[in-house]
Amino acid sequence: MHFCFEPMNAANAEKLTRWHYQPPYQMYNGTSNETLIGSFVDPQNAYYSIQYNGELVAFCCFGKDAQVPGGDYAKDALDIGLGVRPDLTGQGKAQMYIADVLDFASSKFNPRVFRVTVAAFNERALRAWKRAGFQQVQAFLAQEHKESFVILVRHS
């Protein structure tokens, strides 16, 4: 399965702000507002829609918007954020999403190191990124909400 990556547009940004995750993943729920949608479509924030058969199935972002305030991001790496539509999570397809996101990121940005930041409670995501060859390098508390997060890296 290969996905189609497109720069985020307003229609897809609006859709993903309405995605609703069940506990304990509710921290990923969005709220639709013009500021958030504007942030998603701003090319400087590097958000991309991930589509399969013309349907929005996930999104990703690269750079500062994939970081969580409180982590140490001093070392050079390409930060990756990934969100999968709630009804498609937990189906054992994480490796497909991750592989395609890494392939896309490699061709677009040519990084030497990939980095992801994952909420520590999100064991599914942590397992998936580790299965994709990422290794934990840091754990920290987010500045704003004091949630625990983990930073993982992988050399490209």
Side-chain angles (χ1 to χ4, degrees):
M1 174 183 291
H2 288 284
F3 300 105
C4 177
F5 291 77
E6 297 177 356
M8 185 64 67
N9 62 41
N12 283 339
E14 172 67 31
K15 286 178 187 175
L16 68 91
T17 64
R18 288 185 265 126
W19 289 355
H20 183 78
Y21 296 89
Q22 295 299 316
Y25 304 101
Q26 71 272 14
M27 76 178 291
Y28 301 115
N29 290 342
T31 55
S32 181
N33 67 58
E34 286 185 31
T35 303
L36 183 59
I37 292 170
S39 176
F40 288 150
V41 300
D42 184 339
Q44 290 183 3
N45 295 331
Y47 277 87
Y48 292 85
S49 299
I50 302 174
Q51 298 185 7
Y52 183 70
N53 287 339
E55 188 178 332
L56 180 66
V57 295
F59 72 94
C60 60
C61 68
F62 303 98
K64 191 151 183 69
D65 266 24
Q67 298 176 355
V68 175
D72 179 3
Y73 299 99
K75 292 185 179 175
D76 189 38
L78 177 64
D79 289 288
I80 300 171
L82 173 62
V84 175
R85 202 173 71 202
D87 62 311
L88 300 175
T89 62
Q91 297 181 2
K93 297 180 180 175
Q95 294 309 301
M96 288 187 301
Y97 289 103
I98 291 171
D100 275 14
V101 167
L102 293 177
D103 286 346
F104 176 76
S106 291
S107 66
K108 180 98 177 142
F109 303 102
N110 194 28
R112 290 196 342 235
V113 178
F114 296 109
R115 181 170 49 212
V116 295
T117 303
V118 179
F121 78 85
N122 193 342
E123 294 175 15
R124 274 193 325 212
L126 288 171
R127 270 194 314 273
W129 288 104
K130 287 177 180 177
R131 243 183 268 132
F134 283 73
Q135 297 180 332
Q136 181 175 333
V137 294
Q138 184 186 152
F140 67 97
L141 288 178
Q143 286 177 352
E144 198 171 306
H145 301 293
K146 302 299 181 203
E147 290 273 347
S148 294
F149 282 84
V150 174
I151 294 177
L152 303 103
V153 298
R154 181 183 117 171
H155 293 271
S156 56

